[in-house]
Amino acid sequence: MKKEGKKAPVAQKKQSFGVYMKRYWQLYVLLALPMLYLLIFKYVPMIYIQIAFKKYSIVQSVWEMPLAANHGFEYFIKAFKNRDFINALRNTLVLNLLDLVIGFPAPIIFALILNELVFKRFKRVVQTIAYMPHFLSWVIIYGLALQIFAPSTGFLNMILTGLGFESIPFLNDSAHWVGTYIFLGVWQSFGWNSIVYLAAIAGINSELYEAASVDGAGRFKKMWHITLPGIKPTIVVLLVMNLGNILGSSFDRPFALQNNLVMDAAEVLATFVYKNGIKGLQFSLTTAVGFFQSIVCVIFLLLANWISRKLGERGIW
Amino acid sequence: MKKKLLSVLLAGCMVLSLAACGSGDSGSAPQDTSGTQTTQQDAAAPDTAKESDGAGDAAADPTNGEVVDGKFVETRKITVEVYDRGNDDGSDPTNNNYTKYIKEQMLAQHNVEVEFVAVPRWTEVEQINNLLAAGDAPDICLTYDYPTVQTYANMGGVLDLSSYVDDYRDMLPNLWNWLGETNIYWDKDPVNGTLWAIEGKRAVTNRINTFVRKDWLDKLGLKEPTTRQEFEDMIIAFRDNADLLLGADADKMIPYSVSFDVGWRAALLIESFIDPDVSDYEYYVNGFDDRALTQNGTKEAIRLLNKWYNDGLLWDDFALYGSGDSTEDDMIKAGYVGAFMHNWDYPYRDGENSIQTNLQRMVGPDAKFVVVDCFEDIKGGHNKFITSSAGDRKIFFPTTNTEPLASMMYLDFISSPEVIQYLQIGEEGVTHNKLEDGTIEIQAATGDDIQNSGFNIDYTITCNGLHLMDDELTLKSMAYSYSGIDPELVEVAHKVCNTDTRPAKNVNVGAIAAEEGQGPTLSSKRDVVYDTAVSAAVEDFDKVWDAGIADYLSSGGQAIMDERAEKWKATFGDTTALPE
């Protein structure tokens, strides 16, 4: 087929495209709707990225707004001079790195353990329970966290003080709060994220395990030499995507969990943008911040992908 | 094959995206420009009207025959913002018996159709921002936040009302009678004369009170506190006698409750530390923060709160629950709280749902909160900073308002004494009863007659607080307006918050550029400073407070103070007192 295509003259190629479209047009029709969605909701709004470089006005169209000072870079300069932004940047990095270090391996380990379970029914029950937190909104999770971790009325602290220990400031001390934040994040997502790995594990050829058993490999040997290498491409793809999001942050998780006592550790870029942009009306400044965030994310994504390819993995494209 | 398919796919995507992008662009761009064009025209309209008015006959109709006998010749349509308070058993704020009344009356009197747009009360600033930015804002907007109005005005998004209030003065008798020059011109720029917003009027300028559990005082044989020291002794007594007062729930005792909003919920305590002789100049320059964060004296007040916090006299978890959370109210209702400060009538509000009624339901008929007056200033007197009749809700028209005159007529209509009275007390027999001496007693209504806000203040946008056509009757009726509450308690509350007061003055030195866009950021910083300082360890207090203040000042607080000082000097010279 490939050879044929190479040899074929131009006219014939055109004809084969027509034939091709005639055969597969239904697929493209199916594709049209999601493409339209992306266009309308993801690409068209990007026109307004310009306001990062312009003096924003609600009554002018984005094309009419005058360019900001310093060749349009005024708001980027302003952002980097703003201590709150630097803090938010640091917090975003720290929280995301911790999330990556602790939160990324968790679903892999969980999937490996789950895979070793012999009782099918027990496995299914565990799996379902582990998925469940994924469907809770962060506001509800914070409500639960308050019931459990609040310093005076939290269930856990009431037990601790009842036993004569000091209560632990899970939510009202910055260092403890970071721990709580990471823990709740892992708890909420590890079950759901393990689905991908479980699917990858299911795709591994079972003959490999049989052969390994014949060769005398135990559980751990099989896990190490068959399961892990089997899901390595999946791990790498997800790792690359996670690294691409190192400076991105969800809004609802930090926003729901933060409180005034831990703001020095809890203010992240997403909440900074909300406070200064939506509430403080500094739309240009916060668009600049968002734009910067996206640029860094793209750089990280490309870099991680490049490294993974260098290391002989497939990367995501 | 794979590669070929992929490339065809990608090419297809690109073609599609380009095509849609092009059409999207061409579709949205002209819309945008046409939008701006019309708003520019509208914005220009009043000016031309004014010019022709001035050039021609002074007595000529400023509306050019659009309005005959106060009625538009052609029906006009306006939209009006109304708060949605999300009450559990409320009526639909955009469609109930009161909105029906307004709509019918406006159509009959002025030939103007009115439509209400609900905006959630607790996120009003964010919501209005979004609506304004999207060009969907109601024709008549209101907000408690002037910096928001100023910011949008600077972007050209707000109509200048100065020509409307002056040129159409004769057509707006009720508005002028009710608000007067004080409230109408309150925000007028002293230099260029622009007027971005009209200040609604507080019919009642009562602000804040301290409430304590009278039944606990009686149980412990204590008198109502009259000094700060007695207040401290009282909350210590509450703490130490938790077993007696709460029995099995002793560990839930909160002697004195503040929320995350310390600056408001301890305002009387904080302000008692401010020198009563503070000059207008100093109070203004340090006064950007409406919770007195940067006033001289506040630090010592917070030091006291910090001590109380560490002595177990405050609620441990106060900073963890955000705005609009009902946890604290629920604890007060359940009877765990000994004292708190809040809006002057807070525990008596909301009829069946009021704190007092709930408390009595859950604890017993003796349980009640009474008002005390116990925070003396450094001179030994009392010095309560109260608001003026302005400085409350601001009404502004976005430039998308194509019916400014009809909107002004709405404001005039909603300011007429009859309309205010009807909206506030409703129909006799349905929402109120008349006592023998004519006093109005509010009773709980049902269905579409439910008032979502006390006295329907969400509809009477130029009037906040009860205002009947007869002043004496208003005072008497106010005490009876709290269904299920002993009128005597309300009278005491009203009296206490009106003794030894210092009304706010209007320092209008023009727009302060440094304040633009800073309000929400600095307010949340303020709360962080207060919360971290109150909950710090006693020995860390100075460190935490000073670091917090330094951060606040360097994040824009200092720039605001400097500009305020500078503009004061430019306007009033070296004097530190406002001219009378």
Side-chain angles (χ1 to χ4, degrees):
Chain A
M1 182 99 189
K2 227 177 189 178
K3 273 181 187 170
E4 248 179 39
K6 260 183 188 168
K7 278 180 192 168
V10 183
Q12 210 182 329
K13 206 174 189 179
K14 260 187 188 164
Q15 201 192 351
S16 74
F17 178 74
V19 172
Y20 172 83
M21 278 312 277
K22 208 170 184 182
R23 195 183 294 166
Y24 293 116
W25 66 272
Q26 290 103 329
L27 292 177
Y28 287 94
V29 172
L30 279 177
L31 194 64
L33 202 62
M35 288 303 299
L36 210 65
Y37 162 80
L38 280 178
L39 273 173
I40 294 172
F41 293 104
K42 304 285 176 190
Y43 283 84
V44 174
M46 271 194 228
I47 296 168
Y48 268 72
I49 281 182
Q50 295 178 60
I51 67 173
F53 303 95
K54 290 188 165 181
K55 205 168 159 358
Y56 179 77
S57 158
I58 44 164
V59 287
Q60 283 172 318
S61 96
V62 68
W63 306 105
E64 297 168 345
M65 295 175 198
L67 204 63
N70 287 318
H71 308 289
F73 282 93
E74 188 197 354
Y75 294 105
F76 291 88
I77 297 166
K78 230 174 156 181
F80 278 94
K81 279 188 181 159
N82 185 329
R83 217 159 358 100
D84 292 338
F85 167 74
I86 302 293
N87 268 348
L89 187 65
R90 184 202 65 195
N91 292 339
T92 311
L93 270 174
V94 169
L95 292 177
N96 283 352
L97 272 176
L98 283 173
D99 251 347
L100 195 69
V101 172
I102 298 164
F104 187 72
I108 302 175
I109 296 168
F110 180 67
L112 288 178
I113 294 172
L114 216 53
N115 189 46
E116 297 299 321
L117 288 179
V118 182
F119 296 107
K120 279 271 144 48
R121 188 170 292 170
F122 180 67
K123 184 177 160 181
R124 242 176 267 151
V125 170
V126 171
Q127 221 172 324
T128 311
I129 292 174
Y131 291 169
M132 264 196 259
H134 173 79
F135 298 100
L136 294 179
S137 93
W138 279 105
V139 177
I140 292 172
I141 295 179
Y142 184 61
L144 291 173
L146 273 177
Q147 296 298 319
I148 299 170
F149 298 125
S152 68
T153 48
F155 165 73
L156 200 60
N157 275 323
M158 273 160 80
I159 293 180
L160 281 175
T161 45
L163 292 174
F165 295 102
E166 287 268 297
S167 94
I168 299 173
F170 292 108
L171 297 169
N172 44 345
D173 170 79
S174 298
H176 284 86
W177 181 88
V178 171
T180 313
Y181 176 89
I182 300 295
F183 167 77
L184 289 173
V186 172
W187 172 78
Q188 192 248 10
S189 63
F190 80 98
W192 182 258
N193 291 345
S194 68
I195 293 178
V196 184
Y197 298 112
L198 284 170
I201 290 172
I204 297 172
N205 190 346
S206 58
E207 282 176 19
L208 291 174
Y209 290 102
E210 284 159 26
S213 300
V214 172
D215 289 346
R219 271 175 175 239
F220 282 99
K221 287 265 170 189
K222 275 194 267 183
M223 213 188 262
W224 189 252
H225 292 291
I226 299 171
T227 316
L228 268 178
I231 60 172
K232 202 165 108 192
T234 316
I235 295 178
V236 170
V237 167
L238 286 174
L239 187 64
V240 169
M241 282 166 70
N242 267 302
L243 277 172
N245 209 24
I246 194 76
L247 211 57
S249 61
S250 63
F251 170 76
D252 37 356
R253 181 172 163 205
F255 184 73
L257 295 182
Q258 66 185 202
N259 63 64
N260 284 336
L261 298 182
V262 296
M263 223 39 121
D264 54 333
E267 186 85 302
V268 296
L269 288 176
T271 54
F272 172 87
V273 166
Y274 169 70
K275 246 178 227 165
N276 289 276
I278 310 277
K279 283 179 115 176
L281 312 171
Q282 304 185 61
F283 297 117
S284 290
L285 175 76
T286 47
T287 307
V289 169
F291 190 52
F292 162 77
Q293 214 176 347
S294 306
I295 299 272
V296 174
C297 285
V298 169
I299 293 173
F300 261 89
L301 187 71
L302 293 175
L303 212 66
N305 195 52
W306 179 75
I307 292 173
S308 92
R309 290 179 69 151
K310 279 274 149 188
L311 294 177
E313 292 297 333
R314 275 183 48 206
I316 53 173
W317 66 81
Chain B
M1 176 68 206
K2 235 185 195 170
K3 246 186 191 162
K4 196 170 153 198
L5 188 119
L6 196 75
S7 59
V8 169
L9 221 142
L10 281 173
C13 291
M14 256 174 87
V15 169
L16 250 170
S17 68
L18 280 174
C21 221
S23 67
D25 261 7
S26 56
S28 63
Q31 254 177 12
D32 273 355
T33 44
S34 72
T36 25
Q37 267 162 16
T38 45
T39 49
Q40 273 160 5
Q41 277 166 11
D42 293 334
D47 288 337
T48 46
K50 197 177 176 184
E51 274 159 29
S52 63
D53 195 25
D57 187 0
D61 174 18
T63 68
N64 295 323
E66 282 179 4
V67 180
V68 177
D69 293 334
K71 266 179 107 160
F72 277 98
V73 179
E74 278 175 56
T75 306
R76 303 303 174 95
K77 198 168 178 223
I78 60 168
T79 51
V80 179
E81 175 184 345
V82 63
Y83 287 137
D84 184 349
R85 293 179 185 260
N87 297 350
D88 285 343
D89 312 304
S91 55
D92 178 356
T94 61
N95 184 19
N96 54 47
N97 283 344
Y98 304 103
T99 61
K100 268 179 215 147
Y101 167 80
I102 294 172
K103 287 177 186 178
E104 282 166 15
Q105 292 291 319
M106 271 305 282
L107 201 57
Q109 292 181 22
H110 299 301
N111 198 15
V112 173
E113 273 181 34
V114 178
E115 193 191 323
F116 287 95
V117 179
V119 168
R121 170 69 185 92
W122 311 117
T123 50
E124 51 128 358
V125 176
E126 292 93 318
Q127 287 285 333
I128 279 294
N129 285 349
N130 285 344
L131 290 172
L132 283 165
D136 289 338
D139 294 330
I140 299 178
C141 292
L142 64 153
T143 178
Y144 286 87
D145 189 46
Y146 189 73
T148 301
V149 181
Q150 182 68 54
T151 307
Y152 275 103
N154 292 348
M155 292 179 189
V158 179
L159 284 185
D160 180 4
L161 299 176
S162 54
S163 54
Y164 293 105
V165 290
D166 292 335
D167 293 355
Y168 300 111
R169 187 167 180 155
D170 294 340
M171 294 171 68
L172 309 167
N174 294 316
L175 187 70
W176 275 95
N177 277 343
W178 169 237
L179 293 183
E181 295 204 349
T182 314
N183 285 49
I184 287 182
Y185 288 147
W186 185 273
D187 296 315
K188 196 177 173 92
D189 191 286
V191 183
N192 52 31
T194 50
L195 180 65
W196 303 121
I198 295 176
E199 296 274 337
K201 187 169 173 177
R202 289 189 178 95
V204 179
T205 52
N206 297 355
R207 187 167 161 245
I208 184 169
N209 267 326
T210 314
F211 302 90
V212 300
R213 279 285 291 275
K214 179 80 172 104
D215 52 319
W216 283 9
L217 289 175
D218 293 344
K219 238 185 204 170
L220 299 176
L222 295 169
K223 277 191 295 186
E224 291 174 19
T226 55
T227 63
R228 190 190 303 147
Q229 188 57 50
E230 283 176 22
F231 181 82
E232 183 170 353
D233 295 343
M234 175 194 76
I235 53 178
I236 290 173
F238 286 167
R239 180 194 65 190
D240 294 343
N241 293 292
D243 286 328
L244 173 71
L245 297 170
L246 286 175
D249 288 328
D251 58 332
K252 295 188 175 133
M253 153 74 72
I254 296 166
Y256 167 45
S257 184
V258 294
S259 72
F260 80 100
D261 191 357
V262 174
W264 169 240
R265 301 294 307 286
L268 287 168
L269 171 73
I270 292 171
E271 286 157 12
S272 74
F273 278 82
I274 299 174
D275 182 355
D277 294 330
V278 59
S279 71
D280 292 334
Y281 168 76
E282 184 192 325
Y283 190 69
Y284 170 70
V285 169
N286 294 335
F288 174 69
D289 183 49
D290 60 354
R291 305 287 201 249
L293 179 74
T294 47
Q295 298 289 357
N296 293 318
T298 301
K299 182 180 179 181
E300 292 315 305
I302 302 300
R303 191 194 297 282
L304 182 62
L305 280 174
N306 172 256
K307 183 182 144 234
W308 288 354
Y309 178 84
N310 284 294
D311 287 345
L313 297 170
L314 305 188
W315 179 26
D316 265 349
D317 305 353
F318 74 97
L320 298 184
Y321 295 85
S323 169
D325 189 282
S326 66
T327 306
E328 192 203 0
D329 278 6
D330 293 342
M331 292 194 307
I332 299 174
K333 287 174 183 170
Y336 302 146
V337 173
F340 67 95
M341 271 174 229
H342 217 304
N343 289 318
W344 75 278
D345 57 350
Y346 194 70
Y348 311 140
R349 286 178 176 184
D350 281 352
E352 275 300 290
N353 243 331
S354 72
I355 285 177
Q356 187 93 316
T357 309
N358 269 294
L359 181 72
Q360 290 179 344
R361 212 179 287 143
M362 292 169 92
V363 180
D366 293 337
K368 65 176 176 186
F369 279 103
V370 295
V371 169
V372 295
D373 191 7
C374 59
F375 294 102
E376 76 282 7
D377 56 46
I378 49 169
K379 288 195 150 178
H382 292 260
N383 189 29
K384 296 189 201 115
F385 290 84
I386 60 162
T387 48
S388 98
S389 71
D392 189 46
R393 291 185 292 193
K394 297 104 181 55
I395 298 157
F396 67 98
F397 299 170
T399 36
T400 46
N401 180 339
T402 52
E403 296 288 354
L405 181 57
S407 306
M408 288 308 293
M409 285 163 85
Y410 180 82
L411 293 185
D412 186 68
F413 161 80
I414 210 79
S415 304
S416 86
E418 296 85 10
V419 173
I420 292 177
Q421 171 154 333
Y422 177 80
L423 287 173
Q424 294 197 327
I425 61 175
E427 301 267 2
E428 187 174 353
V430 181
T431 40
H432 74 265
N433 290 321
K434 261 203 181 110
L435 301 186
E436 274 171 22
D437 60 348
T439 307
I440 305 288
E441 186 185 36
I442 297 290
Q443 59 177 38
T446 52
D448 279 349
D449 288 307
I450 292 177
Q451 300 188 336
N452 290 315
S453 49
F455 306 126
N456 266 334
I457 55 164
D458 289 351
Y459 296 113
T460 60
I461 51 179
T462 52
C463 171
N464 193 350
L466 183 63
H467 174 70
L468 303 178
M469 291 162 78
D470 177 342
D471 285 345
E472 217 173 292
L473 194 63
T474 306
L475 271 182
K476 264 195 267 174
S477 302
M478 195 162 70
Y480 280 89
S481 66
Y482 297 83
S483 65
I485 304 291
D486 180 2
E488 218 171 287
L489 288 175
V490 183
E491 273 167 24
V492 172
H494 180 69
K495 210 179 103 198
V496 169
C497 67
N498 276 299
T499 41
D500 306 321
T501 54
R502 178 184 170 121
K505 294 175 184 170
N506 186 16
V507 182
N508 191 342
V509 294
I512 305 288
E515 291 174 8
E516 195 185 320
Q518 291 297 314
T521 325
L522 287 181
S523 297
S524 54
K525 266 197 192 295
R526 181 257 334 273
D527 288 338
V528 171
V529 177
Y530 274 144
D531 291 3
T532 49
V534 167
S535 59
V538 173
E539 61 274 17
D540 290 341
F541 175 77
D542 279 302
K543 201 177 76 195
V544 172
W545 175 268
D546 293 343
I549 290 291
D551 180 47
Y552 180 91
L553 291 178
S554 64
S555 299
Q558 188 63 48
I560 290 172
M561 285 177 173
D562 294 346
E563 193 180 340
R564 280 187 167 213
E566 188 188 311
K567 290 233 162 106
W568 173 289
K569 292 232 161 70
T571 313
F572 303 115
D574 283 334
T575 172
T576 56
L578 274 179
E580 287 302 321

